[in-house]
Structure formats: C-alpha cells, structure tokens
Amino acid sequence: MPAKTMHQTEADLRSTLTKLAERWDQMAGPAPDPSEGLFVDEVTPAESARIERAHTYRTAAVDLRDVLCTGQIPHPLMTDAELEQHGTTEESAS
C-alpha cells in the first residue's frame, strides 16, 4: 500500500509543477512577435527589465517541463559535479 501512496504523491507533485510552469508562462505574457521588427525607440530600463524578466519566466517554464518529461536536469543547469558525471555536450555529441 505505501507504493500507491508514493505514486499518488509523485502524481500530485508533477501536477503542481506543471501548474507552476503554466503560471510562469502567464506571468511572462505573450512572447515577442518577430513580425513586429526592431524597436524604433530606445528601450527604457523598465521595459528592458520587463523583457528580461519575461524571458527568464519562459526559460524556467521550459526547463521545468523538460525535467518533467525527461526526468533529467537540462544540461545548461547542471552543476560541475553533474557535468563530470554526465559529460559535456561536446562529449555526448561524439
């Protein structure tokens, strides 16, 4: 019976993390539209900070979904110890 409880707990955790990724996407707002072209006016510091924050939220949401799908930490987020254990991207590509 404890295995069933553990499975339910993992399912609950996965559901919660998926909702967290969805909230980060919502907080980021719509992705920039490449058809709009470049900024004509100089970007203010506040706008630059908003753009950077939105990018960070989107990246975190993608990373979290990647972890949930693969069960592995994305390579750019690995610590030095994990990189030594799993190898670098150059090593894994060869």
Side-chain angles (χ1 to χ4, degrees), residues 15-77:
S15 175
T16 300
L17 292 173
T18 299
K19 288 176 186 173
L20 179 61
E22 289 169 359
R23 286 188 184 171
W24 284 339
D25 280 333
Q26 290 172 353
M27 291 170 65
D33 184 358
S35 68
E36 290 182 9
L38 300 174
F39 288 106
V40 176
D41 298 328
E42 187 173 331
V43 179
T44 65
E47 181 66 10
S48 178
R50 187 197 65 75
I51 292 167
E52 186 175 334
R53 189 171 46 253
H55 174 73
T56 300
Y57 282 130
R58 277 189 209 91
T59 301
V62 167
D63 289 342
L64 183 53
R65 287 186 182 104
D66 190 36
V67 169
L68 289 170
C69 288
T70 66
Q72 297 180 353
I73 297 172
H75 200 271
L77 297 178

Side-chain angles (χ1 to χ4, degrees), residues 6 12 20-21 28 54 61 67 77 83 92:
M6 180 64 118
D12 290 343
L20 179 61
V67 169
L77 297 178
L83 288 171
S92 61

